[in-house]
Amino acid sequence: MAFDFDLFVIGAGSGGVRAARFAAGFGARVAVAESRYLGGTCVNVGCVPKKLLVYGAHYSEDFEQARGFGWNAGEPSFDWPTLIANKNREIERLNGIYRNLLVNSGVTLLEGHARILDPHKVEVNGKAYSAANILVATGGWPQVPDIPGKEHAITSNEAFFLKQLPRRVLVVGGGYIAVEFASIFNGMGAQTTQVYRGPLFLRGFDQGVREHLRDELTKKGIDLRFNSEVTRIDKQADGTLAATLKDGAVIQADCVFYATGRRPMLDNLGLENTAVKLGKDGFIEVDDEYRTAEPSILAIGDVIGRVPLTPVALAEGMAVARRLFRPEEYRKVDYQLIPTAVFSLPNIGTVGMTTEEARAAGHEVKLYESRFRPMKLTLTESQERTLMKLIVDAKTDRVLGVHMVGPDAGEIVQGIAIALKAGATKQVFDETIGIHPTAAEEFVTLRTPVAQ
């Protein structure tokens, strides 16, 4: 059977665009359908604008710390609309880049909602297209629990477009998005409260990292409420919001921001017209090569619920393109030792096992840890402290995990991730000459294990 396309990609986010571009580069006839915005969550309402807001939020501390170095710039002021307008302009520029990347690669771009009609047919804007392979890369969508007044809450989708900075913000959730936005709102001057139903946020991260960040955010004035949950949100006569907690306490806020999880974006996708199966959490089930139960349909990225990170979706998109159209270059995505960062203030950078994971896996571990006040802060009144931690297998000397909380943690840990991928031992770290004076050199000068 002759098809209109060799590959039809639904979703022009990071993974979908990567798969489409490289498949076209390998000589395939490729189409991409997108109903919202080019670049997906990361470019439009995720990592890129969030990082810009994190940069903006850090300036309040920069101005304050500058005095210790002899600078007096007068009384700083902040204008939220200016930041948002500049952010919007940058995102529009990136949208254009994504458009050019696709079109210049020879990909047919279809702007509209795609619905799967059968295992080889997709409809966009009333027109049907046939394809030998269909790739679902539609990403995720934030969800708010079904409580009274949920319509008064916002998510990350709306937070990037607020007209004004709220004076009082309640952040609900304990994942990295919640922690990051609590830092953003707090850094920009909003009175910020974070509520999380568990005993401590960032479940799955190293316990020492979680505790260290808790202490640092508390120092910065964020009101952290653990073992707590919002049961309802009421809008007051003056337009403000009142969030009632399960213990009966009421938090007054101008904005209630929810970051309590994301669901796969499969609305009206037409999967019921195929043999594609969903897991218990609603994610698309795929095998190791991203094939669904329908042989002609594949899925990557946040819709498969594995590792919801942009670089992972990129790697998955590349793997799909290679397996289908350049099999001699195909290699599976390695999900081990994936580095990640949390752009809270201070940042977190991490790669490899947590202390808890290493012990649960049966490793006898040695822990090396340092907590210190960064050199940049020694001339200021800031009491922020950095945490650096190595987790080492006592028998093999191999470094199992590296964790950092402090300025530029993501930038530092990215390079260390390469060392761990190469199998570096603690001896390799010890024999590496540090760059002085830097915070990063602490990772190669840790000599004495801490008491456990």
Side-chain angles (χ1 to χ4, degrees):
M1 177 181 176
F3 296 104
D4 297 326
F5 297 101
D6 301 309
L7 178 66
F8 194 107
V9 181
I10 304 177
S14 302
V17 169
R18 174 63 62 89
R21 286 180 56 218
F22 277 82
F26 296 151
R29 296 167 300 150
V30 183
V32 172
E34 176 55 61
S35 61
R36 292 193 296 276
Y37 27 56
L38 300 179
T41 297
C42 179
V43 168
N44 294 275
V45 289
C47 27
V48 172
K50 174 191 67 185
K51 189 74 180 290
L52 294 174
L53 265 58
V54 168
Y55 284 137
H58 201 276
Y59 274 99
S60 58
E61 293 183 348
D62 289 341
F63 283 124
E64 185 176 323
Q65 293 164 9
R67 296 190 182 97
F69 292 87
W71 288 92
N72 187 353
E75 193 64 32
S77 63
F78 171 66
D79 185 63
W80 172 271
T82 296
L83 173 60
I84 297 304
N86 290 341
K87 180 270 297 181
N88 289 343
R89 186 164 56 250
E90 173 62 8
I91 300 308
E92 288 171 8
R93 185 184 73 85
L94 294 175
N95 289 155
I97 289 175
Y98 267 75
R99 181 182 299 277
N100 291 336
L101 285 174
L102 287 170
V103 174
N104 293 341
S105 298
V107 174
T108 299
L109 176 60
L110 304 170
E111 297 189 64
H113 180 79
R115 177 175 169 78
I116 299 172
L117 301 177
D118 66 36
H120 290 284
K121 195 172 292 182
V122 180
E123 181 185 62
V124 183
N125 298 328
K127 183 176 180 180
Y129 302 88
S130 63
N133 301 280
I134 297 170
L135 175 62
V136 178
T138 47
W141 202 254
Q143 54 186 354
V144 178
D146 191 15
I147 61 170
K150 63 179 287 187
E151 68 275 9
H152 302 309
I154 69 167
T155 67
S156 53
N157 282 358
E158 296 80 33
F160 292 111
F161 301 99
L162 290 171
K163 300 297 183 186
Q164 295 292 335
L165 175 68
R167 186 169 59 88
R168 301 166 301 175
V169 179
L170 170 60
V171 175
V172 184
Y176 70 92
I177 296 174
V179 167
E180 290 170 335
F181 270 94
S183 289
I184 288 169
F185 287 126
N186 180 69
M188 290 175 176
Q191 178 184 321
T192 306
T193 302
Q194 184 176 354
V195 167
Y196 177 49
R197 64 184 180 182
L200 187 60
F201 49 35
L202 295 178
R203 183 166 53 89
F205 283 74
D206 188 88
Q207 183 70 12
V209 167
R210 300 165 74 195
E211 293 172 354
H212 189 89
L213 186 69
R214 174 200 62 200
D215 296 344
E216 292 304 320
L217 295 187
T218 300
K219 285 181 193 175
K220 293 176 186 292
I222 298 177
D223 180 8
L224 299 175
R225 310 275 188 102
F226 298 125
N227 294 310
S228 193
E229 204 165 347
V230 175
T231 58
R232 65 178 299 116
I233 304 169
D234 294 292
K235 193 165 189 175
Q236 310 296 293
D238 62 358
T240 61
L241 303 174
T244 303
L245 307 184
K246 66 178 181 181
D247 63 0
V250 177
I251 297 177
Q252 304 291 334
D254 302 295
C255 172
V256 178
F257 172 94
Y258 262 82
T260 49
R262 296 174 67 85
R263 64 177 178 85
M265 188 56 177
L266 304 175
D267 300 4
N268 194 30
L269 190 58
L271 292 182
E272 67 276 7
N273 299 324
T274 73
V276 173
K277 294 179 180 176
L278 305 182
K280 59 182 177 65
D281 295 324
F283 294 99
I284 295 177
E285 292 186 348
V286 296
D287 64 14
D288 288 343
E289 295 182 337
Y290 312 104
R291 288 175 292 220
T292 69
E294 187 70 71
S296 61
I297 299 179
L298 306 100
I300 61 171
D302 291 2
V303 291
I304 65 174
R306 290 188 178 175
V307 183
L309 297 172
T310 292
V312 173
L314 292 170
E316 292 169 348
M318 177 81 80
V320 166
R322 282 177 169 155
R323 186 182 66 79
L324 291 177
F325 307 110
R326 191 65 65 85
E328 65 273 17
E329 295 181 7
Y330 172 69
R331 56 182 179 272
K332 289 186 176 181
V333 176
D334 184 358
Y335 290 95
Q336 301 301 310
L337 294 172
I338 295 174
T340 190
V342 178
F343 295 107
S344 49
L345 295 173
N347 295 176
I348 295 173
T350 181
V351 61
M353 289 183 168
T354 66
T355 307
E356 297 72 33
E357 288 170 342
R359 286 174 173 157
H363 294 281
E364 179 187 340
V365 299
K366 287 184 178 180
L367 301 180
Y368 298 82
E369 188 176 292
S370 178
R371 298 172 191 260
F372 57 93
R373 195 169 171 223
M375 183 178 181
K376 180 182 177 182
L377 301 183
T378 56
L379 301 187
T380 77
E381 296 182 1
S382 173
Q383 297 304 308
E384 179 183 306
R385 295 180 69 78
T386 287
L387 165 67
M388 290 182 169
K389 184 173 185 177
L390 295 179
I391 301 165
V392 178
D393 186 305
K395 294 180 179 177
T396 66
D397 199 44
R398 183 164 181 169
V399 180
L400 302 174
V402 175
H403 307 275
M404 176 179 174
V405 183
D408 300 315
E411 307 288 349
I412 292 171
V413 170
Q414 175 68 80
I416 292 177
I418 301 171
L420 263 65
K421 201 76 173 175
T425 61
K426 181 63 168 61
Q427 182 179 346
V428 170
F429 275 67
D430 292 343
E431 293 176 352
T432 300
I433 305 298
I435 301 173
H436 185 74
T438 66
E441 71 176 319
E442 196 75 13
F443 277 124
V444 298
T445 58
L446 294 169
R447 294 289 184 265
T448 307
V450 298
Q452 301 183 44

